[in-house]
Amino acid sequence: MPEWDAAEREAYLTLALAPGIGSARFRELLQRFETPSGVLAASLAALRSVPGIFEPVARAVRAAERSAGRRALAAVAAEGGVLLLPGEPGFPAALLEIPEPPTHLFLKGDTALLERPAVAIVGSRQHSEYGGEVCRALAQAAAEAGLVVVSGMARGLDAVAHAGALAVGGGTIGVLGNGLGFVYPRANRLLYAEVAARGLLLTELPPGAPPHGGSFPQRNRLISGLARVTVVVEAAITSGALQTATWAQAQGREVLVVPGPITSVSSAGTNRWLRDGAGPLLELDDLLYHYPELRRPAAPGIFSDGTGTPLERRIVQALQREPLPTERLVEASGAPVETALDTLSALELSGKVRRDGEGRYRLAVGLFG
């Protein structure tokens, strides 16, 4: 795509924001009329002669006013953001490869993050404690390994993924289903400010635009499109996170899912994907396998060196699934109560397990090394 001067960038954005104009129709129109200004100046009959440009779309183009593009450019500048068009330096090459590439991007923050390898981490808004713990640990480990964490700035695990990356000084990209300057959901206003200041916000919608029914599925294709791998941490059967996984498959990207309890509604969707052939993510190396430029040996787990008694191994294995209170852990161990308690005390004294504020036992090492 050629470099456009200021007037053509304004015309370009005006056309890109017209109703019914997607990437395919945009390309057809530019191929026929050569410049954005040429498209906007074309007659209704000329527009209708272009393949795929039906009457409603042609009328929308004819009704488009340059003031719309001018206002959007002024608004993004007022937000401290930028407009990036395909072919311009810094436009993510990964997004040019997907079936529905964006015609433009509005960005706010560190655009250099677009040049680094990325992983998408998504999951349920209504997540379990297990899902939150796994998501946070995974985002932190991925960021520390050098990956940019991409997610959708939604409540729940999206927010956990962004916050996890930021907590260790890593990079994160928040893909919005609304325009810059419109904070949605309101509960994420502090996270929005943090990502804008220390990461990157990205959207196709003009500044100030609220979300609408179709904006989140469209956002999801960008989340997966930016990343080499999409990881779904926890998702119910109808979760939007699985839409992102579906986009990733259609884009030829890898999908990994975190296994969850088969009794958990919030893991029903991810477990079905596992059953149907998706790759499981059990340790950091499952993810870094797809990033050989960053790959490092996975951190050893407890007793991975072959030490530990069978009873110690059973207790650790039970705690790998979820934190447990004493009585449930004793039951899971399959040992007499006194023997199980003695072994548990020894594991605690050795620093391999710990008790949290609610009296439950947890492994004392991170989930991902």
Side-chain angles (χ1 to χ4, degrees), residues 22 61 84 92 180-181 205 235 257 274:
V61 172
L84 199 58
L180 296 175
L205 275 68
V257 300
L274 271 177

Side-chain angles (χ1 to χ4, degrees), residues 277-298:
L281 191 147
L282 303 178
E283 57 187 11
L284 184 61
D285 202 45
D286 293 334
L287 173 63
L288 296 186
Y289 171 83
H290 301 283
Y291 301 86
E293 71 273 30
L294 302 177
R295 194 176 182 187
R296 61 173 178 76

Side-chain angles (χ1 to χ4, degrees), residues 49-366:
S49 70
V50 178
I53 305 301
F54 305 109
E55 181 78 16
V57 178
R59 291 192 178 278
V61 172
R62 288 293 300 151
E65 299 181 358
R66 283 178 177 262
S67 58
R70 192 177 309 124
R71 286 194 302 270
L73 286 169
V76 73
E79 280 289 326
V82 296
L83 168 70
L84 199 58
L85 305 182
E88 293 182 338
F91 195 94
L95 291 183
L96 297 177
E97 302 167 355
I98 64 177
E100 296 183 33
T103 57
H104 62 283
L105 296 172
F106 295 106
L107 307 166
K108 182 175 182 178
D110 183 5
T111 57
L113 293 175
L114 295 170
E115 301 173 6
R116 291 171 47 189
V119 57
I121 302 178
V122 296
S124 174
R125 288 173 172 80
Q126 305 295 332
H127 63 85
S128 69
E129 181 179 1
Y130 162 80
E133 184 177 0
V134 171
C135 185
R136 184 177 300 105
L138 174 60
Q140 291 176 350
E144 288 177 328
L147 292 172
V148 174
V149 173
V150 182
S151 200
M153 291 294 291
R155 289 184 297 108
L157 293 183
D158 283 19
V160 172
H162 291 302
L166 292 173
V168 294
T172 190
I173 298 175
V175 185
L176 305 176
N178 46 269
L180 296 175
F182 190 100
V183 180
Y184 181 86
R186 293 296 299 172
N188 282 354
R189 59 189 181 280
L190 296 180
L191 179 63
Y192 181 101
E194 281 289 296
V195 175
R198 299 166 55 199
L200 177 67
L201 295 172
L202 178 152
T203 180
E204 293 176 282
L205 275 68
H212 56 78
S215 63
F216 294 111
Q218 290 298 100
R219 173 207 63 179
N220 291 345
R221 88 188 198 286
L222 298 184
I223 294 173
S224 59
L226 285 166
R228 194 179 304 173
V229 177
T230 291
V231 179
V232 188
V233 173
E234 192 175 53
I237 292 172
T238 59
S239 172
L242 297 180
Q243 293 179 356
T244 307
T246 300
W247 276 114
Q249 282 190 332
Q251 294 162 351
R253 310 295 165 85
E254 292 290 334
V255 177
L256 299 177
V257 300
V258 175
I262 62 173
T263 55
S264 171
V265 172
S266 54
S267 287
T270 42
N271 286 341
R272 283 193 180 186
W273 273 66
L274 271 177
R275 180 196 64 191
D276 295 339
L281 191 147
L282 303 178
E283 57 187 11
L284 184 61
D285 202 45
D286 293 334
L287 173 63
L288 296 186
Y289 171 83
H290 301 283
Y291 301 86
E293 71 273 30
L294 302 177
R295 194 176 182 187
R296 61 173 178 76
I302 297 175
F303 302 139
S304 61
D305 57 357
T307 62
T309 67
L311 177 54
E312 288 174 329
R313 289 176 175 276
R314 287 199 299 274
I315 289 174
V316 166
Q317 184 177 12
L319 290 177
Q320 286 176 336
R321 292 190 288 271
E322 59 180 333
L324 292 173
T326 304
E327 57 273 16
R328 287 189 57 193
L329 196 51
V330 169
E331 180 182 357
S333 74
V337 174
E338 288 187 4
T339 304
L341 291 177
D342 287 345
T343 302
L344 190 55
S345 295
L347 287 171
E348 188 174 10
L349 287 172
S350 68
K352 293 182 172 65
V353 303
R354 61 179 174 83
R355 272 183 289 189
D356 62 20
E358 298 178 2
R360 295 175 303 180
Y361 281 91
R362 296 173 177 269
L363 295 182
V365 297

